[in-house]
Each structure stands twice: as structure tokens, then as C-alpha cells.
Amino acid sequence: MIHQKNRFIFIFFIITFLSKLYCTTVINIDSSKLPLIQNPNERDSLFLQFKEDADYNNKILHNNKEFYKDENKTNVIISFYKVLVPAKFDFLWLKSRFTPISAETISTLNNITTADSTIANKVLIIPTFSGLFIPEKPTSTWELLLHKKYLTSQNKKETLQVKIDNKLYYFFYNEKFDLTTYTFFLDTTMKIPLKNSILSSNYGYRVSPISGKWKFHSGIDLAAPEGSDVFACKSGEVIYTGFNSIYGNYIIINHFNNMTSIYAHLSKILVKKEEKINSGHLIGKVGSTGASTGPHLHFEIRQNGNTKNPEELISIK
């Protein structure tokens, strides 16, 4: 049960509304005293307690209207945890692991400026409820956008305020990024997968060098010497490594926001399936395996399963 007196959890505050809305409630938090989740898996008791609280809040607070019902005002559990992000893990992993807490909640509370930010080996703070934590003093582009949208004089007076290590946040329950803010959050520079290469074939229809027929080319070809290093264009998780007669040795990496990248015709594959990697991570070597006429990298980008022109996302020199 959630409301047991002997439960091993550090709950800073249980919301008890005795009047309307938040009444400028301020929660003061010393992050050094927060419980630390070091192994976020089903064998860690603190992680299980976090999940219990988060799932409970999510059930009774599934939208803003429910939040303001009288019967919910005394039942909301406001608790905070710290989590040590394991090595090689990224925001994509963090978001999926701490569901149902939203990505916006985690990013705003921890000043994670982009979805590709390096968070491995860092200690982050995660609450058991979702919403936007807008800092009193914004620093990033999307923080400025949120500040302008939400922080009216009236909202400042009515919303919950959270002060963590003397840094003040205004909390807006269950709010999420709008399209513009989300675009800035995802607008990270993709890296070209080869340090030195020549664009030998563009994205789109062409005469196939293998069949001689007019055919759609779903990626770009980057010519480079055999054995040249191939790097991940963005952080993510390796979801496939293998061989077929067309791509030869190839790798597929899953990135944030349903984006994948494909690296084909490799002479060597240097990563394994389910491996978490950062942007610029060495993943393989240029080769000419599969349907290839010479050493090069066939590079593809897909969004929600649909191919996109990599030249629109990466500066090809």
C-alpha cells in the first residue's frame, strides 16, 4: 500500500489543499538528502517504490480536470528521487525506463537542453508526477519559450513552486512542450558518420550501378578508403547488426523521436545489438560488402519508418 507508515521512502510533501489550487505552496528540497536509485531495475527496492508512486499518481491524475477534483487534493503524492544514470545510457533509455513520468518533466527539472544531451554517469532528479518545471531564470532557448508562455504574474501566484538547492522552479501539472518548444528540444546537430569522404550518390531516383535500372536510392553513398572509421550520427541504441545480400554488413541504430539510422556495406561491425551509444561513437569500418561496386558507406535516415534525405539533416562536405 502507498500510505504505510513504515515504507522506506523519503517523501518531501503530500499535497493537502485546504483552499483553492496551490495557494503558492513552496516545496524546499535539499538534493543531498534525496534517496538515490543506483540500479533502476526490478530488483532495486527504491526503484520499485518510485514506480509504485508514479503509477499511483498517474491513475488518479490522468488529466488536469481530475487534478482539481476535491477527492484528489489530499491523495497526491509529491516525492522526489535521484537516479545515477548508468554508463553508456542516454535520454532515450531514461525516458522509457521511468515511464509514466514524461520526458518534458525530466528534461525541465534537470536542465537537459536537448534530447541528445550526454547524461551517462550523471545524477538526475526525477519526481513521481508529470508536468513542466520552469526555472525562474531560464538559460536555454526552450526555457525562454516556456517562460514567456506560462509565467504570467497570475500564474506565478497560483502555481506550485519547487526550490531545489535554492534554484526556484514554477511547476505546471501535466503540461507538455508545444510543437515549437519540442522542435528546439530535438533540434540537435547530427554528425556526419565519416570524417573524410566524397558524396558519390545522392538520395532519390538514380540509375542503379548494380542493375543499370532507374531505381529509388533510399540513402546517400559516401565514398571512403576501405577500413575508414564509421561513427554514429546521433546517440541511441543499436537495434540490429547483421548481413544481407544488398546491404552487406550493416547496423541499425534507434534514436529519440522514432528516428533510425542505417550504415551499410561495412567491412567490420564494432557494436552489438542493444548497446547504448553516444553521438560520434565508433561503430564500424567502411567496406564493400553486399551489393557494392567499391568501398563506401551507404547511409540512411528514417523517421517513423519513412526515409528522409540525410543531406537535409547533415552538412555533407
Side-chain angles (χ1 to χ4, degrees):
M1 296 293 294
I2 290 187
H3 298 294
Q4 292 178 344
K5 293 182 179 180
N6 61 346
R7 59 184 306 198
F8 180 54
I9 183 170
F10 190 68
I11 300 178
F12 274 91
F13 190 75
I14 297 179
I15 294 180
T16 304
F17 290 100
L18 300 178
S19 57
K20 62 180 180 179
L21 299 179
Y22 290 108
C23 299
T24 320
T25 301
V26 180
I27 301 175
N28 287 286
I29 295 176
D30 178 354
S31 65
S32 67
K33 297 179 180 179
L34 286 173
L36 176 63
I37 300 173
Q38 299 190 61
N39 299 296
N41 57 56
E42 284 67 24
R43 295 185 298 276
D44 185 282
S45 60
L46 273 178
F47 179 68
L48 292 177
Q49 288 171 7
F50 163 84
K51 292 289 288 184
E52 183 182 351
D53 280 356
D55 289 340
Y56 171 81
N57 283 339
N58 190 55
K59 287 179 182 178
I60 67 168
L61 302 177
H62 54 81
N63 59 51
N64 278 311
K65 291 181 180 179
E66 289 294 311
F67 180 65
Y68 295 124
K69 285 187 176 180
D70 290 339
E71 60 266 29
N72 287 330
K73 290 180 180 178
T74 58
N75 293 330
V76 184
I77 295 179
I78 297 294
S79 52
F80 295 81
Y81 293 77
K82 290 187 298 188
V83 58
L84 176 61
V85 181
K88 297 184 180 180
F89 283 73
D90 61 5
F91 191 78
L92 181 68
W93 167 86
L94 189 74
K95 173 181 175 293
S96 62
R97 197 68 182 140
F98 284 85
T99 301
I101 305 307
S102 71
E104 289 91 338
T105 303
I106 299 171
S107 59
T108 54
L109 186 57
N110 293 279
N111 192 35
I112 299 174
T113 55
T114 69
D116 278 353
S117 296
T118 300
I119 61 172
N121 299 314
K122 292 185 177 180
V123 175
L124 304 179
I125 298 175
I126 302 181
T128 56
F129 52 97
S130 290
L132 296 176
F133 287 87
I134 303 176
E136 181 183 32
K137 298 178 180 179
T139 56
S140 68
T141 301
W142 57 259
E143 285 178 341
L144 289 167
L145 291 171
L146 294 177
H147 203 275
K148 183 177 181 180
K149 179 178 180 180
Y150 287 97
L151 293 189
T152 64
S153 298
Q154 187 63 30
N155 282 347
K156 284 184 178 182
K157 295 178 181 178
E158 294 180 343
T159 192
L160 177 70
Q161 297 178 21
V162 179
K163 186 175 288 187
I164 301 178
D165 300 332
N166 293 318
K167 183 176 181 178
L168 182 64
Y169 296 87
Y170 296 92
F171 175 71
F172 292 85
Y173 170 73
N174 215 28
E175 290 292 315
K176 293 187 175 183
F177 290 161
D178 58 23
L179 180 59
T180 301
T181 308
Y182 198 63
T183 299
F184 275 102
F185 183 67
L186 296 177
D187 185 19
T188 58
T189 303
M190 295 182 65
K191 295 183 178 180
I192 188 168
L194 294 172
K195 290 184 177 179
N196 296 291
S197 63
I198 296 174
L199 179 62
S200 57
S201 186
N202 298 94
Y203 173 88
Y205 282 96
R206 66 171 186 176
V207 176
S208 169
I210 303 297
S211 66
K213 297 180 179 179
W214 187 250
K215 188 177 180 181
F216 185 79
H217 187 225
S218 57
I220 60 174
D221 289 344
L222 299 170
E226 180 96 14
S228 297
D229 291 338
V230 177
F231 304 95
C233 67
K234 291 170 69 74
S235 62
E237 178 180 358
V238 178
I239 59 173
Y240 183 84
T241 64
F243 177 90
N244 70 28
S245 59
I246 303 298
Y247 282 175
N249 295 319
Y250 71 107
I251 299 167
I252 302 178
I253 300 175
N254 185 40
H255 308 286
F256 188 79
N257 200 32
N258 298 318
M259 177 181 284
T260 57
S261 56
I262 301 173
Y263 312 77
H265 307 306
L266 303 171
S267 60
K268 290 183 180 179
I269 294 174
L270 303 177
V271 289
K272 297 179 180 179
K273 184 179 179 181
E274 297 184 354
E275 185 173 344
K276 307 297 187 300
I277 57 175
N278 293 322
S279 178
H281 185 100
L282 178 63
I283 60 172
K285 299 284 186 176
V286 169
S288 188
T289 57
S292 171
T293 59
H296 74 283
L297 174 71
H298 172 79
F299 176 60
E300 288 185 28
I301 294 292
R302 295 176 181 264
Q303 185 84 47
N304 296 315
N306 300 312
T307 63
K308 298 179 72 69
N309 185 356
E311 292 181 72
E312 297 177 355
L313 302 171
I314 299 177
S315 176
I316 308 296
K317 297 179 180 180

